[in-house]
Every structure is written in structure tokens, then in C-alpha cells.
Amino acid sequence: MTILEEINRLDSNILLGGQARKSKATEVLDVIDPATEQKLGEIAETTTDEIDEAVEIAHAAQKKWWALSGLERSEIMHDVANRIHAMRPRLAEAMTREMGKPYKEAADEVDWCVSSIRYSAEVGRSDTGRVMGNAIEGHLNYTLKEPLGVVVSIQTFNYPLTLLSWQSGGALAAGNAVIAKPSEHTTFTTLIFAEAFEPLPAGLFQVISGAGPAGKYLVEHPDTNAIAFTGSVPTGQAIGATCGHMMKRALIEVSGNDPFIIMPSADLDITARAATFAAFMNCGQICVSAERFYVHEDIHDEFIAKMTENAKAIRIGNGLEKVDMGPMVSQKERTRYEGVLENALKQGANVVTGGGRPAEFNQGWFVEPTILSECNQSMDMFNNESFGPVAPICRISSFEEGIELANDSKYGLGANIYTRDLKEAVRATEQLQAGMVWVNAPLLDNDAGPFGGSKMSGSGRQLGPEGVEAFQETKFVMIDPDCTDTQDFWWFPYKDDESFKG
Ligand code: NAD
């Protein structure tokens, strides 16, 4: 079966209780290939009855999952990872067709799912609590790490499988059930991906399709126990507010406006390649894309010339061909991004290269990789996420100025610096206000290290031990194994000599 036939088979499907089935929804959304503008199919705005059913199924499956041993859960998760690995070409093609990224980037993304699920599987069985020094002689005091119950993972489109794997890997390893609500742009890819989770108890991993209404209903549902969200700030705020009201655990991963500082000691050939990649990978649609470049005046012009050379060499086109950059995900996103660019030009930015749509395409939501010079901190682009392939460059005269401007932001997701000066490198790691700092290593992740933002970029962490702990409840236990001692030091009756002396 070709991927297009598979997508056709999955039209209006949801995954409930281990079975893919057509939703009863009357409302559907079109899914469009962003490179060809051809309709791929329709997804359902899942009904509230179906969501209620999914939540009930999830609770029953979670009880079976938690009843297994830690070793059994881990082995089943490794089996899921093996299956994902075997599905690599199918998943990568589906992702490219649905959201536009080059096939190589999509295939890499599948590999990251495999390694992160393997990592979570092991963390899940390594520690399930902590024994502490007892408060009373002979007693046993410890914590138990227990699952929260049903975790809802609401996803965006840019890394539809990796981000879902990070969240659901952590949640499953902690003993929870997962209900995935993919982006409306990447639902078919997620439904295919879900086949890999068949070794889990039926209903432990389910997929609900739809847009905002399905997500909102899952968040507000009294029987969902935690929300893991990746997406925009307004949606993250709305989810955070609801979860706060309901005392529901929330992991919120939202926007960034990441700085990229370049100092004179950097190797400019390597830095220009790194900067080009950090700004334009996935058509700039990455939460940790480098979006504000601060380049030291001593190397400013030379750096721009080298980065421009790299940007001009980027091959644009359908992600299924030999290209480096695909289209933006949707017409709506391209229109929004073009508005951001137009505004930067009005505010005084100068186009060094790009700035428009590539002339050779009469269909598809393509844009050129764009470098802007003469930029400054007061521009909107330096205060809000661009989420498109643009690299605005601001000239700086010192390391201190670079750090100060980098930190002058409401966001704090990632931050980059290129330098070979040890002192600058160490000071940057200490002073940059961000969840992740990359010194000469832009945009890298490590399953064993935490990923997440500070300030308005979100709260909580994915990956690392923190990414499992995010989905655990801590229960404190105190035991007197003998049960023979009276605890006279604080029980009734209180001693007279301990009463108020007057
Ligand atoms: P979005 O907020 O529009 O949608 C994200 C998801 O939320 C979708 O599945 C959508 O259907 C759902 N949704 C919409 N309204 C909802 C509601 N009221 N209640 C519950 N769910 C609702 O965001 P988007 O345009 O898909 O994502 C782009 C954003 O994602 C960018 O800002 C990017 O920076 C961010 N992002 C962040 C990270 C990170 O780890 N920090 C990673 C990738 C992307």
C-alpha cells in the first residue's frame, strides 16, 4: 500500500481502545499537502461522546499497565521503539507529505523518537522513589513515584512525532495512559505512528483528531489527570489557566525568539554554516530556531557575506525531492510570516538575500531563506517569534552588549553563542537567561538532558529524568514496622510540664 493509499484508508479515523475507526463526527477538516496544495484527505473533529469513551478506556488500560512489573513495561516500550524504527520510511514520507519538511529531516525525526522512547523506558524502571534518613528511630521513611493516570498530549505540527514521543515516552514510562491530540496538520502521520504502540495494553495509547475544540474538551475533562502541551503562547496560557483552576498537572512548551551571538574568535566558515542551519532548518518553523543574530562589529560584514553564500545555496522544493528546505506548513502560516517580514522592512531592516517567494513555483507555500541586516532591538522581530526562515542581524560592539540584548526578551527557550574564547563561553552559559544554552553546538538535543523553556517560553521539562518525573505523583510514606512504641513525645495526654508557664 502506498502512503497516499494509507492516508486514504485513515480518512476521518480516530484510534480508540486499540482499534482505528471512523469518527461519528459531522465536522471535518481538510488536510492539504503544502508543497502541491493537493488535498490529502479529511480528519474528524472528534465528538465529545467519543472523547468521553477514550478517557474511560484510558483509565482501564492504565490500571493494567501499572499492574505490570517495571521490567515488563520497559521491555514493551523497547518493542514499540523497534517498531517505530521499522516504520521509518513510511513515517518520514507521510510527515513530508503532510507538513512539508524535507524527507531527510523527517527520517531523522523518526530516529529521535526511537532513541527518546528507549531512554524513557530505562529511566522509568531505574528509580521509583527515594529512601530518606528516618525521623524516628526504627521507622522507615520513603517516597513512591506513582503515575498520574491519564495524560493528554496536545501537539503542534513542526516536530509531530518527536515531541509526541518525548511527552508520551515520559508519561508511559511513569505508568500513565496517553491520549494524543495531534495538530490538525499532522494527524495522518500520527495515526500511522500509533500502529507502533500495538504491543501496549489496548487503549493505553489513543489518538483523538480535531482542532481547538477537541483539545479544549480534553483539557477541561474532569477525568484527564495531566496535560502536556506544545504550541503557541495564547493556547498555552488558556490551557495553563484551566489546569490551574482544576489543579491539574500541566507541562507547557511554547514559543521562543532565540538569540545567536557571534564573537570575533569564532571560525567564521563554520559559524556561517551553523547559523544558516539554525535559522532555516524546517523552514524556520522550530521553537528553538535562531531568530535574533547579534554579530560583533569586527567580523560583522565578513560573517554576513559568508552566511549569504550559504543561504543562497539552499535548495528549495518539495521535501520528497533532493532539497534542503520545503514549504511552510500552510497558507495561513505563510501569510502570517510574510506580514512579520513586511513589518521588519517597514521598521528599517535591509534585505541582504531572499525576502520573497521563489519564482520557480506556482503552487506550494514556499518562501525564500531571508537575511536582514541593519536590524535593532526595538524591531518587533526582536521581541516576538517569527517562526519562519528569516535571520535578522544586529551589530554589537562587545560580549556584554550581546548578553544584555540576548536577555532583553520575554522568552527564554534556547540561546546560542559562537566563540573560541573560554571565558566568553563559560560566562555565556552562566549569564544567558534560557532553558538551554548551546556553545558552538546550535539546536542539539540529548534524550538524557532536559528540554524546556524559562520566562514566557513555558514551564516544566521534557526528556532527561525530569521528563519522566513530570508525569509522576510523589507519595511520602512513614512506617513504624514494630507498631509497639507509643509516640509519647507528641501524643495525648500532653504533659503538664510542657504547658504554658504563665
Ligand atoms: P497552536 O497553539 O495553534 O496549536 C497547538 C495545538 O493546540 C494544536 O493541536 C491545536 O489543535 C491545539 N489547540 C488549539 N486551541 C486549543 C485549545 N483552546 N485548547 C486545547 N488545545 C488547543 O500552535 P501551533 O501553531 O500548532 O504551534 C506553533 C507554536 O509551537 C510556535 O509558537 C512554536 O514555537 C511552538 N513550539 C514550541 C516547542 C517547545 O518545545 N517549546 C516545540 C515546537 C513548537
Side-chain angles (χ1 to χ4, degrees):
M1 201 187 288
T2 66
I3 284 297
L4 289 177
E5 285 164 349
E6 284 199 54
I7 288 176
N8 193 32
R9 174 177 62 88
L10 291 168
D11 229 41
S12 290
N13 268 220
I14 51 178
L15 181 78
L16 248 62
Q19 300 292 322
R21 70 185 201 204
K22 289 236 179 288
S23 164
K24 294 194 176 77
T26 49
E27 201 183 323
V28 291
L29 303 158
D30 287 347
V31 179
I32 312 283
D33 180 334
T36 63
E37 296 183 36
Q38 301 293 310
K39 181 172 162 180
L40 290 169
E42 288 172 353
I43 61 161
E45 185 63 62
T46 307
T47 67
T48 54
D49 283 352
E50 287 164 333
I51 295 177
D52 289 343
E53 191 185 339
V55 174
E56 201 180 321
I57 291 170
H59 276 288
Q62 189 273 329
K63 286 187 180 64
K64 290 187 191 148
W65 181 235
W66 188 236
L68 298 178
S69 71
L71 177 59
E72 281 170 314
R73 282 195 299 276
S74 167
E75 282 174 341
I76 294 172
M77 287 183 68
H78 281 292
D79 192 7
V80 170
N82 292 342
R83 286 164 183 254
I84 295 170
H85 177 69
M87 291 167 74
R88 187 178 194 258
R90 285 168 63 207
L91 291 169
E93 182 184 340
M95 202 189 309
T96 297
R97 288 188 186 277
E98 228 181 340
M99 62 72 65
K101 70 172 61 174
Y103 181 87
K104 185 248 186 299
E105 288 182 18
D108 283 350
E109 178 167 350
V110 177
D111 294 342
W112 303 335
C113 300
V114 175
S115 65
S116 74
I117 288 178
R118 288 200 196 293
Y119 174 81
S120 297
E122 290 306 307
V123 171
R125 72 190 179 103
S126 69
D127 279 311
T128 49
R130 176 167 68 89
V131 182
M132 64 275 317
N134 49 13
I136 312 286
E137 189 187 329
H139 287 200
L140 185 58
N141 297 171
Y142 59 94
T143 56
L144 289 174
K145 294 285 183 182
E146 298 185 335
L148 300 171
V150 174
V151 174
V152 177
S153 176
I154 300 178
Q155 288 306 326
T156 176
F157 62 85
N158 64 344
Y159 284 92
L161 300 188
T162 292
L163 298 169
L164 176 59
S165 296
W166 289 2
Q167 293 180 355
S168 54
L172 292 170
N176 300 282
V178 171
I179 299 178
K181 209 302 279 170
S183 162
E184 41 277 44
H185 297 296
T186 45
T187 300
F188 289 124
T189 307
T190 309
L191 283 166
I192 298 171
F193 182 66
E195 286 173 23
F197 291 74
E198 273 167 19
L200 299 173
L204 193 74
F205 182 90
Q206 304 181 94
V207 181
I208 291 298
S209 64
K216 189 168 185 288
Y217 190 77
L218 279 161
V219 172
E220 291 171 355
H221 202 291
D223 296 327
T224 60
N225 306 100
I227 308 297
F229 171 75
T230 317
S232 64
V233 170
T235 312
Q237 285 173 319
I239 291 175
T242 303
C243 288
H245 187 70
M246 297 177 81
M247 300 291 177
K248 195 178 282 196
R249 191 79 69 86
L251 171 71
I252 309 281
E253 300 283 358
V254 290
S255 305
N257 188 216
D258 286 8
F260 194 118
I261 302 170
I262 303 164
M263 296 305 294
S265 64
D267 176 319
L268 285 196
D269 287 322
I270 290 178
T271 309
R273 264 192 82 185
T276 306
F277 182 69
F280 305 135
M281 184 193 183
N282 201 8
C283 206
Q285 301 166 117
I286 310 186
C287 53
V288 288
S289 284
E291 294 207 342
R292 297 179 284 143
F293 285 84
Y294 298 107
V295 184
H296 194 277
E297 59 193 4
D298 291 356
I299 41 127
H300 177 269
D301 295 355
E302 194 186 346
F303 169 76
I304 290 186
K306 286 180 189 287
M307 188 176 177
T308 304
E309 214 177 293
N310 277 282
K312 282 186 168 161
I314 289 176
R315 297 161 299 171
I316 304 170
N318 188 320
L320 294 177
E321 289 160 17
K322 292 186 174 62
V323 299
D324 305 305
M325 200 174 99
M328 295 199 73
V329 70
S330 66
Q331 187 171 25
K332 189 171 159 218
E333 268 302 288
R334 182 172 72 172
T335 304
R336 179 201 57 76
Y337 162 70
E338 287 177 336
V340 169
L341 197 54
E342 200 183 313
N343 189 38
L345 301 187
K346 275 194 203 135
Q347 292 178 338
N350 167 57
V351 177
V352 180
T353 184
R357 299 177 182 178
E360 62 268 36
F361 301 103
N362 53 16
Q363 61 192 8
W365 299 306
F366 296 98
V367 286
E368 293 174 317
T370 295
I371 297 177
L372 304 177
S373 63
E374 312 310 324
C375 297
N376 62 62
Q377 194 73 4
S378 67
M379 290 177 169
D380 290 340
M381 209 172 248
F382 280 66
N383 292 284
N384 293 300
E385 188 181 51
S386 306
F387 218 58
V390 60
I393 296 176
C394 172
R395 192 188 296 262
I396 53 168
S397 55
S398 67
F399 171 77
E400 289 72 23
E401 188 188 7
I403 298 286
E404 191 185 326
L405 294 177
N407 287 341
D408 178 22
S409 171
K410 62 187 171 216
Y411 297 112
L413 194 51
N416 299 274
I417 182 166
Y418 258 80
T419 179
R420 287 188 288 189
D421 179 318
L422 184 60
K423 184 175 157 197
E424 285 173 359
V426 173
R427 294 290 165 261
T429 62
E430 292 166 349
Q431 293 170 15
L432 283 168
Q433 296 165 0
M436 289 140 316
V437 175
W438 291 289
V439 180
N440 307 330
L443 274 54
L444 281 169
D445 300 322
N446 177 350
D447 301 324
F451 182 104
S454 59
K455 303 191 199 174
M456 286 295 281
S457 291
S459 58
R461 292 292 182 271
Q462 306 172 101
L463 296 180
E466 295 89 341
V468 175
E469 193 155 358
F471 303 108
Q472 288 174 322
E473 192 64 85
T474 302
K475 182 186 281 176
F476 180 44
V477 181
M478 301 183 86
I479 303 178
D480 173 2
D482 296 330
C483 194
T484 50
D485 288 342
T486 55
Q487 288 159 31
D488 282 341
F489 62 92
W490 73 324
W491 283 1
F492 302 132
Y494 296 147
K495 295 189 182 79
D496 290 350
D497 64 359
E498 288 191 86
S499 61
F500 184 55
K501 301 283 184 303

